[in-house]
Amino acid sequence: MPELPEVENFKNYIDETSLHQKIAAIQIAAPELLINTTIDILRDTLTGNAFEDTFRHGKFLFIRLQKNGFLMLHFGMTGDLLYYTPDKKYPKVYVLLIQFENGRNLAFSDQRRLGKIGLVKNVESFIEDRGYGKDALKISLEEFIVLFQKRRVAIKTALMNQKIVAGVGNEFSDEILFQSKVHPESKSNVLPLEKLKEIYQHMLAILQEAIEQNADRNKLEHYFFLDHRKEGLKCPECKGETKLRTIGGRSSYFCPSCQKLYT
Ligand SMILES: [Zn+2]
């Protein structure tokens, strides 16, 4: 599932492939993904337009258009991008296809169709109106501590709440808490200051490394829960068994021996 590092990777991919090319036409195969716009408005806005640059906030990608604001993409659970020439193999199933005048195409595919496509006039207002928190790579330690000391929910739930800090999802939150040796059901507001600092530092380090490795999970094998998501595995630290529990509606993996529960 695309979290902050994957979306940063999509941002870099658009920057490398799709900027400054006139859009000849678009195809929309999944109108249910559109927010704040209609098929006609999206088609009118994008046709004849071009991508100028990109901006990421949390798991949202904003592509600045030459005119009329931004194209917003959210990748849901299964979103992916592919830029291709007509002679290359292309994805048969796409939700949005951008056809450039130079004959190349950018396909946005999303098998489970939980992503979003929209037009945004002003990125700051979009983020503010929806109440999203600061980006996980931009929030300061002080801001992080103030926000997490106030929350009386499980730390796992707080980390995944995009309105507190934007960008961390289910899989990265498991890894961050494993590295920090904090049980995912620990209450955010009772965690010692030192533990909150550790969580913050692991969050930055893991997200940054994942970006540097192009969000390639195969290169992140040394991160136990990013690599292995199964119950009953041997914890690399204590050799005890990993557990699976649903926390805040999400499947959470953890080691009950290494990760201390703070209540
Ligand atoms: Zn362990």
Side-chain angles (χ1 to χ4, degrees), residues 201-256:
Q201 282 153 0
H202 284 299
M203 175 180 80
L204 289 191
I206 295 168
L207 293 175
Q208 271 159 356
E209 189 186 348
I211 290 170
E212 280 159 26
Q213 301 296 349
N214 296 322
D216 180 350
R217 298 292 174 97
N218 295 325
K219 292 181 184 160
L220 298 169
E221 281 172 340
H222 53 291
Y223 288 124
F224 184 62
F225 280 122
L226 284 180
D227 197 33
H228 304 92
R229 296 188 66 74
K230 253 188 197 162
E231 195 177 20
L233 289 179
K234 213 189 244 187
C235 166
E237 299 286 329
C238 71
K239 314 297 175 203
E241 276 195 5
T242 59
K243 293 276 178 220
L244 165 66
R245 198 167 293 168
T246 303
I247 302 170
R250 305 301 302 273
S251 302
S252 313
Y253 293 90
F254 61 100
C255 172

Coordinates of all heavy atoms in Angstrom, one line a residue, residues 201-256:
Q201 N 12.3 10.0 15.8 CA 13.5 9.8 15.1 C 13.5 8.5 14.2 O 14.0 8.6 13.1 CB 14.7 9.6 16.2 CG 15.1 11.0 16.7 CD 15.7 11.0 18.1 OE1 15.8 10.0 18.7 NE2 16.1 12.2 18.5
H202 N 12.9 7.5 14.7 CA 12.7 6.3 13.9 C 11.8 6.5 12.7 O 12.1 6.1 11.6 CB 12.2 5.1 14.7 CG 13.2 4.5 15.6 ND1 14.4 3.9 15.1 CD2 13.3 4.3 16.9 CE1 15.1 3.5 16.1 NE2 14.5 3.7 17.2
M203 N 10.8 7.3 12.9 CA 9.9 7.7 11.8 C 10.7 8.4 10.7 O 10.6 8.0 9.5 CB 8.7 8.6 12.3 CG 7.8 9.1 11.2 SD 6.5 10.2 11.9 CE 7.4 11.7 12.0
L204 N 11.4 9.4 11.0 CA 12.2 10.1 10.0 C 13.2 9.2 9.3 O 13.3 9.2 8.1 CB 13.0 11.3 10.7 CG 12.2 12.5 11.1 CD1 13.2 13.6 11.5 CD2 11.2 13.0 10.1
A205 N 14.0 8.4 10.1 CA 15.0 7.6 9.6 C 14.5 6.6 8.6 O 15.0 6.4 7.5 CB 15.8 6.9 10.7
I206 N 13.4 5.9 9.0 CA 12.9 4.8 8.2 C 12.2 5.4 6.9 O 12.5 4.9 5.8 CB 11.8 4.0 9.0 CG1 12.5 3.3 10.2 CG2 11.1 3.0 8.1 CD1 11.5 2.7 11.2
L207 N 11.5 6.5 7.0 CA 10.9 7.1 5.8 C 12.0 7.6 4.9 O 11.9 7.4 3.6 CB 9.9 8.2 6.2 CG 8.7 7.9 7.0 CD1 7.9 9.1 7.4 CD2 7.8 6.9 6.1
Q208 N 13.0 8.2 5.4 CA 14.1 8.7 4.6 C 14.8 7.6 3.9 O 15.1 7.7 2.7 CB 15.0 9.6 5.4 CG 14.5 11.1 5.4 CD 15.1 11.9 6.5 OE1 15.8 11.4 7.4 NE2 14.8 13.2 6.5
E209 N 15.1 6.6 4.6 CA 15.8 5.5 4.0 C 15.0 4.8 2.9 O 15.5 4.5 1.8 CB 16.3 4.4 5.0 CG 17.2 3.4 4.2 CD 17.6 2.2 5.0 OE1 17.4 2.2 6.2 OE2 18.2 1.3 4.4
A210 N 13.7 4.7 3.1 CA 12.8 4.1 2.1 C 12.8 4.9 0.9 O 12.7 4.4 -0.2 CB 11.4 3.9 2.7
I211 N 12.8 6.2 1.0 CA 12.8 7.1 -0.2 C 14.1 6.9 -0.9 O 14.1 6.8 -2.1 CB 12.6 8.6 0.3 CG1 11.2 8.8 0.8 CG2 12.9 9.5 -0.9 CD1 11.0 10.2 1.4
E212 N 15.2 6.9 -0.2 CA 16.5 6.7 -0.8 C 16.6 5.4 -1.6 O 17.3 5.3 -2.6 CB 17.7 6.8 0.2 CG 18.0 8.2 0.6 CD 18.7 8.3 1.9 OE1 19.4 7.3 2.3 OE2 18.6 9.4 2.6
Q213 N 15.9 4.4 -1.1 CA 15.9 3.1 -1.8 C 14.8 3.0 -2.8 O 14.4 1.9 -3.2 CB 15.8 2.0 -0.7 CG 16.9 1.9 0.3 CD 18.3 1.7 -0.3 OE1 18.4 1.3 -1.5 NE2 19.3 1.9 0.5
N214 N 14.2 4.2 -3.2 CA 13.1 4.2 -4.1 C 11.9 3.4 -3.7 O 11.2 2.8 -4.5 CB 13.6 3.7 -5.5 CG 14.6 4.6 -6.1 OD1 14.5 5.9 -5.9 ND2 15.6 4.1 -6.7
A215 N 11.7 3.4 -2.4 CA 10.5 2.6 -1.8 C 10.5 1.2 -2.2 O 9.5 0.5 -2.3 CB 9.2 3.3 -2.2
D216 N 11.7 0.6 -2.6 CA 11.8 -0.8 -3.0 C 11.9 -1.6 -1.7 O 13.0 -1.6 -1.0 CB 13.1 -0.9 -3.9 CG 13.2 -2.4 -4.3 OD1 12.5 -3.3 -3.8 OD2 14.1 -2.6 -5.2
R217 N 10.9 -2.4 -1.4 CA 10.8 -3.1 -0.2 C 11.9 -4.2 -0.1 O 12.4 -4.6 0.9 CB 9.5 -3.8 0.0 CG 8.3 -2.8 0.1 CD 8.4 -2.1 1.4 NE 7.3 -1.0 1.5 CZ 6.2 -1.2 2.1 NH1 5.9 -2.3 2.7 NH2 5.3 -0.2 2.1
N218 N 12.4 -4.7 -1.3 CA 13.5 -5.7 -1.3 C 14.8 -5.1 -0.8 O 15.6 -5.9 -0.3 CB 13.7 -6.2 -2.7 CG 12.5 -6.9 -3.3 OD1 11.8 -7.6 -2.5 ND2 12.2 -6.8 -4.5
K219 N 14.9 -3.8 -0.8 CA 16.1 -3.2 -0.3 C 16.0 -2.8 1.1 O 16.9 -2.2 1.7 CB 16.5 -1.9 -1.1 CG 16.9 -2.3 -2.6 CD 17.3 -1.1 -3.3 CE 17.6 -1.4 -4.8 NZ 17.5 -0.2 -5.6
L220 N 14.8 -3.1 1.7 CA 14.6 -2.7 3.1 C 14.4 -4.0 4.0 O 13.7 -4.0 5.0 CB 13.3 -1.9 3.2 CG 13.4 -0.5 2.5 CD1 12.0 0.1 2.4 CD2 14.4 0.4 3.1
E221 N 15.2 -5.1 3.6 CA 15.0 -6.4 4.2 C 15.4 -6.3 5.7 O 14.9 -7.1 6.5 CB 15.9 -7.4 3.5 CG 15.3 -7.9 2.3 CD 16.3 -8.8 1.5 OE1 17.5 -8.6 1.8 OE2 15.9 -9.6 0.7
H222 N 16.3 -5.4 6.0 CA 16.7 -5.3 7.4 C 15.6 -4.7 8.3 O 15.8 -4.7 9.5 CB 18.0 -4.5 7.5 CG 17.9 -3.1 6.9 ND1 17.8 -2.9 5.5 CD2 17.9 -1.9 7.5 CE1 17.8 -1.6 5.3 NE2 17.8 -1.0 6.4
Y223 N 14.6 -4.2 7.7 CA 13.4 -3.8 8.5 C 12.4 -4.9 8.6 O 11.8 -5.3 7.7 CB 12.8 -2.5 7.9 CG 13.6 -1.3 8.1 CD1 13.9 -0.5 6.9 CD2 14.0 -0.8 9.3 CE1 14.7 0.6 7.1 CE2 14.7 0.3 9.5 CZ 15.1 1.0 8.3 OH 15.8 2.2 8.5
F224 N 12.4 -5.5 9.8 CA 11.7 -6.8 10.0 C 10.2 -6.7 9.6 O 9.7 -7.6 8.8 CB 11.8 -7.2 11.5 CG 11.1 -8.5 11.7 CD1 11.6 -9.7 11.1 CD2 10.1 -8.7 12.6 CE1 11.1 -10.9 11.4 CE2 9.5 -9.9 12.9 CZ 10.0 -11.0 12.2
F225 N 9.4 -5.8 10.1 CA 8.0 -5.8 9.8 C 7.6 -5.1 8.4 O 6.5 -5.2 8.0 CB 7.2 -5.1 10.9 CG 7.0 -6.0 12.1 CD1 7.4 -5.7 13.3 CD2 6.3 -7.2 11.9 CE1 7.2 -6.5 14.4 CE2 6.1 -8.1 13.0 CZ 6.5 -7.7 14.2
L226 N 8.6 -4.5 7.8 CA 8.3 -4.0 6.4 C 8.5 -5.2 5.5 O 7.9 -5.3 4.4 CB 9.3 -2.9 6.0 CG 9.0 -1.5 6.6 CD1 10.0 -0.5 6.1 CD2 7.6 -1.1 6.2
D227 N 9.4 -6.1 5.9 CA 9.7 -7.3 5.0 C 8.8 -8.5 5.3 O 8.4 -9.2 4.4 CB 11.2 -7.7 5.3 CG 11.7 -8.6 4.2 OD1 11.3 -8.4 3.0 OD2 12.5 -9.4 4.5
H228 N 8.5 -8.7 6.6 CA 7.7 -9.8 7.0 C 6.4 -9.4 7.6 O 6.4 -8.7 8.6 CB 8.4 -10.7 8.0 CG 9.7 -11.2 7.6 ND1 10.9 -10.5 7.8 CD2 10.1 -12.2 6.9 CE1 11.9 -11.1 7.3 NE2 11.5 -12.2 6.7
R229 N 5.3 -9.8 7.1 CA 4.0 -9.4 7.7 C 3.2 -10.7 7.9 O 2.4 -11.1 7.1 CB 3.2 -8.4 6.9 CG 4.0 -7.1 6.8 CD 3.2 -5.9 6.2 NE 2.0 -5.5 6.9 CZ 2.1 -4.8 8.1 NH1 3.2 -4.5 8.6 NH2 1.0 -4.5 8.7
K230 N 3.5 -11.4 9.0 CA 2.9 -12.7 9.3 C 2.9 -12.9 10.8 O 3.8 -12.4 11.5 CB 3.8 -13.8 8.7 CG 3.1 -14.5 7.5 CD 3.9 -15.7 7.1 CE 3.6 -16.1 5.6 NZ 4.6 -17.0 5.1
E231 N 1.9 -13.6 11.3 CA 1.9 -13.9 12.7 C 2.7 -15.1 12.9 O 2.8 -16.0 12.1 CB 0.4 -14.1 13.1 CG 0.2 -14.1 14.6 CD -1.2 -14.3 15.0 OE1 -2.0 -14.8 14.2 OE2 -1.5 -13.9 16.2
G232 N 3.3 -15.2 14.2 CA 4.0 -16.4 14.6 C 5.4 -16.6 14.0 O 6.0 -17.6 14.1
L233 N 5.9 -15.5 13.5 CA 7.3 -15.5 13.0 C 8.2 -15.3 14.2 O 7.8 -14.8 15.2 CB 7.6 -14.4 12.0 CG 6.9 -14.6 10.6 CD1 7.3 -13.4 9.7 CD2 7.4 -15.9 9.9
K234 N 9.5 -15.7 14.0 CA 10.5 -15.5 15.1 C 11.0 -14.1 15.1 O 11.5 -13.6 14.0 CB 11.6 -16.5 14.8 CG 12.3 -17.0 16.1 CD 13.5 -17.7 15.7 CE 13.5 -19.2 16.0 NZ 14.8 -19.9 15.8
C235 N 10.8 -13.4 16.2 CA 11.3 -12.0 16.3 C 12.8 -12.0 16.2 O 13.5 -12.8 16.9 CB 10.9 -11.4 17.6 SG 11.7 -9.9 18.1
P236 N 13.4 -11.2 15.4 CA 14.9 -11.2 15.2 C 15.7 -10.8 16.5 O 16.8 -11.1 16.6 CB 15.2 -10.2 14.1 CG 14.0 -9.3 14.0 CD 12.8 -10.2 14.5
E237 N 15.0 -10.1 17.4 CA 15.6 -9.6 18.6 C 15.6 -10.7 19.7 O 16.6 -11.0 20.3 CB 14.9 -8.3 19.1 CG 15.0 -7.2 18.2 CD 16.3 -6.5 18.1 OE1 17.0 -6.5 19.1 OE2 16.7 -6.0 17.0
C238 N 14.4 -11.2 20.0 CA 14.2 -12.0 21.2 C 13.9 -13.5 20.9 O 13.8 -14.3 21.8 CB 13.1 -11.5 22.1 SG 11.5 -11.7 21.4
K239 N 13.7 -13.7 19.6 CA 13.3 -15.1 19.1 C 11.9 -15.6 19.5 O 11.6 -16.7 19.3 CB 14.4 -16.1 19.5 CG 15.8 -15.7 19.2 CD 16.1 -15.5 17.8 CE 17.5 -14.9 17.6 NZ 17.7 -14.2 16.3
G240 N 11.2 -14.6 20.2 CA 9.8 -15.0 20.5 C 8.9 -14.9 19.3 O 9.4 -14.5 18.2
E241 N 7.6 -15.1 19.4 CA 6.7 -15.1 18.3 C 6.0 -13.8 18.1 O 5.6 -13.2 19.0 CB 5.6 -16.2 18.5 CG 6.1 -17.6 18.1 CD 4.9 -18.5 17.9 OE1 3.7 -18.1 18.1 OE2 5.2 -19.7 17.7
T242 N 5.9 -13.4 16.8 CA 5.3 -12.1 16.5 C 3.7 -12.4 16.6 O 3.3 -13.5 16.4 CB 5.6 -11.6 15.1 OG1 5.2 -12.7 14.1 CG2 7.1 -11.4 14.9
K243 N 3.0 -11.3 16.9 CA 1.6 -11.4 17.0 C 0.9 -10.4 16.0 O 1.5 -9.5 15.6 CB 1.2 -10.9 18.5 CG 1.7 -11.8 19.6 CD 0.7 -13.0 19.7 CE 1.2 -13.9 20.8 NZ 0.9 -15.3 20.5
L244 N -0.3 -10.8 15.8 CA -1.2 -10.0 14.9 C -2.4 -9.5 15.7 O -3.0 -10.4 16.4 CB -1.6 -10.8 13.7 CG -2.8 -10.2 12.8 CD1 -2.4 -8.9 12.2 CD2 -3.2 -11.2 11.8
R245 N -2.7 -8.3 15.7 CA -3.9 -7.8 16.3 C -4.5 -6.7 15.5 O -3.8 -5.9 14.9 CB -3.6 -7.3 17.7 CG -4.8 -7.2 18.7 CD -4.3 -7.0 20.1 NE -3.7 -8.2 20.7 CZ -3.0 -8.2 21.8 NH1 -2.9 -7.1 22.5 NH2 -2.4 -9.2 22.3
T246 N -5.9 -6.6 15.5 CA -6.5 -5.5 14.8 C -6.5 -4.3 15.8 O -7.1 -4.3 16.8 CB -7.9 -5.9 14.4 OG1 -7.8 -7.0 13.6 CG2 -8.6 -4.8 13.5
I247 N -5.9 -3.2 15.3 CA -5.9 -2.0 16.2 C -6.4 -0.8 15.3 O -5.8 -0.6 14.2 CB -4.4 -1.7 16.7 CG1 -3.9 -2.9 17.5 CG2 -4.4 -0.4 17.5 CD1 -2.4 -2.8 17.8
G248 N -7.4 -0.2 15.7 CA -8.0 0.9 14.9 C -8.4 0.4 13.6 O -8.3 1.1 12.6
G249 N -8.9 -0.8 13.5 CA -9.4 -1.4 12.3 C -8.3 -1.9 11.3 O -8.6 -2.3 10.2
R250 N -7.0 -1.8 11.7 CA -6.0 -2.2 10.8 C -5.2 -3.4 11.4 O -5.0 -3.5 12.6 CB -5.0 -1.1 10.6 CG -5.7 0.2 10.1 CD -6.4 0.0 8.8 NE -5.5 -0.5 7.7 CZ -4.8 0.3 6.9 NH1 -4.9 1.6 7.0 NH2 -4.1 -0.2 6.0
S251 N -4.7 -4.3 10.6 CA -3.9 -5.4 11.0 C -2.5 -5.0 11.4 O -1.8 -4.4 10.7 CB -3.7 -6.4 9.8 OG -4.9 -6.8 9.4
S252 N -2.2 -5.2 12.7 CA -1.0 -4.7 13.3 C -0.1 -5.8 13.7 O -0.6 -6.7 14.5 CB -1.3 -3.8 14.5 OG -2.3 -2.9 14.1
Y253 N 1.1 -5.8 13.3 CA 2.1 -6.9 13.7 C 3.0 -6.3 14.7 O 3.5 -5.1 14.6 CB 2.9 -7.4 12.5 CG 2.0 -8.1 11.5 CD1 1.3 -7.4 10.5 CD2 1.7 -9.5 11.7 CE1 0.5 -8.1 9.6 CE2 0.9 -10.2 10.8 CZ 0.3 -9.5 9.8 OH -0.6 -10.1 8.9
F254 N 3.4 -7.1 15.7 CA 4.3 -6.6 16.8 C 4.9 -7.8 17.5 O 4.4 -8.9 17.4 CB 3.6 -5.7 17.7 CG 2.4 -6.3 18.5 CD1 2.6 -6.8 19.8 CD2 1.2 -6.5 17.8 CE1 1.5 -7.4 20.5 CE2 0.1 -7.1 18.5 CZ 0.3 -7.5 19.8
C255 N 5.9 -7.5 18.3 CA 6.5 -8.5 19.2 C 6.1 -8.2 20.6 O 6.5 -7.1 21.1 CB 8.0 -8.5 19.0 SG 8.8 -9.6 20.3
P256 N 5.3 -9.0 21.2 CA 4.8 -8.7 22.6 C 5.9 -8.7 23.6 O 5.8 -8.1 24.7 CB 3.8 -9.8 22.9 CG 4.1 -10.9 21.9 CD 4.8 -10.3 20.7

